Amino acid sequence: MRTTDEPTNDERLGEPRGEQPGTAHPTRPYGTGVGEDRAPQPSSGLLRSLLLLAGVAYLLSWVAGLVVFASSTQVRSTGGQVLSAYAGHTGAVVVQFVLTEGVAGLLFGVVLWRLGWVTGGRLGRVIGVTALTAAAISIAQCGIGIVLATSVLSRQDVDAASTAYDLLTRLDGVKMLLLAMTAGATALAIGRSRAALPSLLRVVTAATAIALTLSGVGYLALVDALRHGRLRFAAAAHHLRHRVSGLPEVGEVP
C-alpha cells in the first residue's frame, strides 16, 4: 500500500507521471536541458564594433606617434647618433614609443587574436599565437624605448644607447617575421574560405606577408635597403587594398 502523494517509480527516475521513459518533454529536449533555438548573443554586434574601433585606434595611434616625433635614424645608427637625434625631445620620444609600440601593439594583438579565433583550426592557432607574440614584443619595445629616451638619454650613455637601439632594431625584425607568418596564414585561410571574398584580397594579404618578411630580414641583418624596400612595397599594397575595398585612403603607416 502507498498513499496517493507518494511518487511513482517513473517520477523517482525523473519522468513525469504518464510518460514513457525516453519521451521528450514538450518544453525541453530530452537529456539536454536547453532549448532547441538559442537566442542570438547580444554581445556579438558589440564585439564587432569594439574590434572595428580597435582597428581604427591602431591606425590613429601610429599616425599620432609619427606626428609627435619623426625619427630619421637608420638601422645602423650609432649610440651617439641616437642620443643626438633624441636630444631635447624626451617627452615626444616617450609619447611616440607609447603610441607606436605600446598602444598599437596591444590593439593589433587583440584584433589579430580575434581573427585567429574566428578562423579556427591550425591556421587560426598560427594567427593567434604569432599575433600575440608580436604584440608582446611590441610592448617590450615600448618599455625599452622609454628607458632609452629617459634614463639613457639623461646620462648621455653612448654604449647603453647603442645597445638599446640595436635591441629595438633586432626585435623589430623578429616582430615583422611573426607578423609575416600571421599574414601568410591569413592568406591561406582566405583561400580556403567559402565566404564570398574579393579575389584580390588573398593576393594583397600575401603581398603584405612578403613585404613584412623583407622588413624583418632588413631589421635583423641591419640592411636599410631591405627596410626601405619594404616600405615602398607596403605602400603599394596599402594602395591596392583600398582600391579593392573601395575605402578612402587615410594615411600610410610605415
Side-chain angles (χ1 to χ4, degrees):
M1 292 290 295
R2 69 176 182 85
T3 63
T4 56
D5 294 333
E6 184 180 352
T8 65
N9 290 334
D10 287 344
E11 289 172 334
R12 291 192 186 98
L13 295 174
E15 298 292 340
R17 183 183 301 180
E19 293 182 2
Q20 295 299 321
T23 303
H25 193 274
T27 60
R28 60 174 175 83
Y30 180 76
T32 63
V34 294
E36 292 183 2
D37 297 327
R38 293 186 178 183
Q41 297 296 325
S43 61
S44 59
L46 176 62
L47 179 59
R48 285 194 294 268
S49 299
L50 291 176
L51 290 172
L52 177 60
L53 288 175
V56 173
Y58 165 73
L59 176 62
L60 293 178
S61 66
W62 255 106
V63 172
L66 296 178
V67 169
V68 168
F69 180 75
S71 174
S72 59
T73 54
Q74 305 297 312
V75 294
R76 286 187 178 273
S77 296
T78 65
Q81 291 173 325
V82 173
L83 293 177
S84 178
Y86 290 172
H89 304 287
T90 299
V93 175
V94 169
V95 171
Q96 185 191 59
F97 274 111
V98 169
L99 290 175
T100 61
E101 302 292 357
V103 176
L106 181 63
L107 290 173
F108 80 67
V110 170
V111 172
L112 293 179
W113 172 82
R114 177 62 182 178
L115 174 63
W117 188 88
V118 171
T119 301
R122 183 175 300 176
L123 289 176
R125 288 193 294 272
V126 171
I127 293 172
V129 171
T130 54
L132 289 179
T133 306
I137 291 175
S138 186
I139 294 172
Q141 287 180 291
C142 175
I144 296 171
I146 291 174
V147 172
L148 172 59
T150 55
S151 176
V152 175
L153 183 60
S154 65
R155 299 196 317 266
Q156 289 293 297
D157 191 332
V158 176
D159 291 337
S162 178
T163 301
Y165 189 77
D166 183 71
L167 179 58
L168 286 171
T169 302
R170 307 283 185 175
L171 287 175
D172 258 330
V174 176
K175 181 174 67 178
M176 293 301 171
L177 292 179
L178 286 169
L179 291 177
M181 293 176 62
T182 304
T186 303
L188 290 175
I190 292 173
R192 298 177 183 180
S193 175
R194 297 179 181 179
L197 298 172
S199 58
L200 281 180
L201 185 59
R202 184 182 182 186
V203 176
V204 173
T205 307
T208 302
I210 296 173
L212 289 168
T213 301
L214 290 175
S215 174
V217 172
Y219 278 113
L220 286 174
L222 303 180
V223 178
D224 276 307
L226 286 177
R227 173 175 174 259
H228 293 311
R230 188 273 303 183
L231 295 180
R232 289 190 292 269
F233 195 44
H238 173 81
H239 177 70
L240 180 58
R241 181 170 64 251
H242 281 277
R243 289 289 299 275
V244 171
S245 64
L247 296 174
E249 296 188 55
V250 294
E252 178 57 34
V253 178

